[in-house]
C-alpha cells in the first residue's frame, strides 16, 4: 500500500515544519499509476457527439487535471515511502536534517490526497455512462485555498535543498549509498530524490495553466 501511514512511528510529528502522518486516501483504494486516457476515449460516442466543441475541450482539460493530480499524489507518496519513512525509522536521520530536506512534504501529501479524493468523487458521481464528466471543481480548490499557503514554506526552501543534500551526504557517509540504492528502484522511474523534491513546485505552476484552459 503506497498510501502514507506513519501512525506507528514515534518520531512522526504534526505541524507544518516537518514530516507528519498524513491521512490515508479518502475515497476508495490508493491511486495507481495507469496510462492516462483522453476524454474522447472514455466518453460514450453518443454523449460525445452531443457535446459542443467547447464542452469537449473543457472536459479534456478537467480529465487532464484529475489524471495529473493522481500522478502528483503518487509522486508525493513515493517521497514518503521511499525516502522519509526509511530515513526516519531505519537510518534515524536527525529531525533537523530531515526537515531541511523534506520541509512540510507530509502536509502537502495530506492536502492533495484530499483534493484527489474530492475530484474522483465528482467523477464517480457522474459515472462511466456519462464519461466520468466533471461539472465544476472551483469549490474544491476554494475550500483548500488557505491550506495552499503551505507551498510558501516549501517553495522558499526548495532552491536550497540540493546544497543541503550535498552537505548531509558529507556529514552522514551512509546517506549517499542509501540514495544511490534508492535510485535503482523501478517506482522512481530513473528519477533521483532531487527530481521528486521539485515536483511540488512544478505542480503549483501547472495549476494556473490548467484552470485558465478550463475557464476558456
Amino acid at each position: 500500500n503506497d498510501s502514507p501511514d506513519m501512525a506507528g512511528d514515534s518520531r512522526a510529528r504534526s505541524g507544518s515544519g516537518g514530516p507528519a502522518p498524513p491521512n490515508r486516501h479518502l475515497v476508495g483504494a490508493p491511486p495507481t499509476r495507469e496510462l492516462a486516457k483522453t476524454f474522447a476515449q472514455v466518453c460514450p460516442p453518443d454523449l460525445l457527439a452531443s457535446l459542443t466543441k467547447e464542452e469537449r475541450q473543457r472536459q479534456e482539460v478537467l480529465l487532464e487535471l484529475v489524471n495529473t493530480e493522481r500522478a502528483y499524489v503518487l509522486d508525493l507518496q513515493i517521497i514518503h515511502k521511499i525516502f522519509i519513512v526509511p530515513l526516519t525509522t531505519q537510518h534515524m536521520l536527525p529531525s533537523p536534517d530531515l526537515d531541511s530536506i523534506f520541509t512540510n512534504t507530509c502536509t502537502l501529501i495530506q492536502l492533495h490526497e484530499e483534493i484527489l479524493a474530492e475530484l474522483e468523487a465528482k467523477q464517480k458521481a457522474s459515472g462511466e455512462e456519462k464519461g466520468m464528466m466533471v461539472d465544476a471543481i472551483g469549490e474544491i480548490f476554494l475550500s483548500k485555498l488557505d491550506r495552499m499557503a503551505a507551498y510558501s514554506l516549501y517553495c522558499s526552501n526548495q532552491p536550497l535543498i540540493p546544497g543541503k543534500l550535498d552537505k548531509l551526504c558529507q556529514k552522514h557517509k551512509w546517506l549517499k549509498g542509501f540514495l544511490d540504492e534508492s535510485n535503482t528502484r523501478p517506482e522512481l522511474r530513473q528519477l533521483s530524490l532531487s527530481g521528486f523534491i521539485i515536483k511540488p513546485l512544478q505542480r503549483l505552476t501547472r495549476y494556473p495553466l490548467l484552470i485558465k484552459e478550463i475557464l476558456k
Side-chain angles (χ1 to χ4, degrees), residues 176-185:
K176 185 178 185 304
F178 167 80
L179 294 176
D180 288 343
E181 182 179 353
S182 298
N183 289 345
T184 65
R185 298 186 59 156

Side-chain angles (χ1 to χ4, degrees), residues 61-216:
V61 181
L62 283 165
L63 183 58
E64 180 185 355
L65 174 66
V66 178
N67 288 338
T68 54
E69 187 71 18
R70 186 178 297 112
Y72 177 47
V73 168
L74 282 166
D75 284 338
L76 290 177
Q77 291 176 342
I78 283 174
I79 296 174
H80 186 271
K81 175 184 175 181
I82 305 299
F83 297 105
I84 294 178
V85 170
L87 289 174
T88 301
T89 61
Q90 298 173 19
H91 297 283
M92 303 301 286
L93 192 68
S95 296
D97 292 340
L98 274 171
D99 292 347
S100 71
I101 300 302
F102 299 105
T103 321
N104 56 346
T105 297
C106 286
T107 299
L108 298 183
I109 298 176
Q110 182 173 1
L111 170 61
H112 287 279
E113 283 185 332
E114 292 178 18
I115 290 174
L116 177 60
E118 292 181 34
L119 288 171
E120 290 180 337
K122 281 188 169 288
Q123 283 187 320
K124 291 175 182 177
S126 170
E128 292 184 5
E129 68 278 3
K130 292 186 178 180
M132 308 292 282
M133 291 178 64
V134 175
D135 55 353
I137 59 164
E139 72 275 13
I140 294 176
F141 287 94
L142 285 174
S143 68
K144 307 291 189 298
L145 201 57
D146 58 334
R147 294 168 63 189
M148 296 291 280
Y151 275 96
S152 178
L153 174 60
Y154 189 95
C155 292
S156 65
N157 188 51
Q158 197 278 327
L160 307 175
I161 292 176
K164 291 179 178 180
L165 199 54
D166 287 343
K167 290 182 179 179
L168 284 177
C169 285
Q170 295 174 14
K171 178 181 177 182
H172 305 286
K173 301 302 182 183
W174 54 265
L175 182 56
K176 185 178 185 304
F178 167 80
L179 294 176
D180 288 343
E181 182 179 353
S182 298
N183 289 345
T184 65
R185 298 186 59 156
E187 55 262 61
L188 265 64
R189 312 186 309 280
Q190 298 184 326
L191 291 175
S192 65
L193 172 59
S194 296
F196 281 91
I197 290 292
I198 200 173
K199 293 286 185 179
L201 180 58
Q202 293 172 334
R203 186 59 178 167
L204 187 63
T205 58
R206 182 66 176 153
Y207 281 128
L209 300 175
L210 289 169
I211 292 173
K212 182 179 179 181
E213 288 297 313
I214 292 169
L215 293 175
K216 276 186 177 180

Side-chain angles (χ1 to χ4, degrees), residues 36-67:
K37 294 182 178 180
T38 66
F39 177 68
Q41 290 174 315
V42 300
C43 184
D46 291 346
L47 176 59
L48 185 65
S50 71
L51 299 176
T52 64
K53 178 182 177 181
E54 290 75 16
E55 183 59 23
R56 289 198 300 269
Q57 291 175 338
R58 178 174 173 272
Q59 289 298 327
E60 287 285 7
V61 181
L62 283 165
L63 183 58
E64 180 185 355
L65 174 66
V66 178
N67 288 338

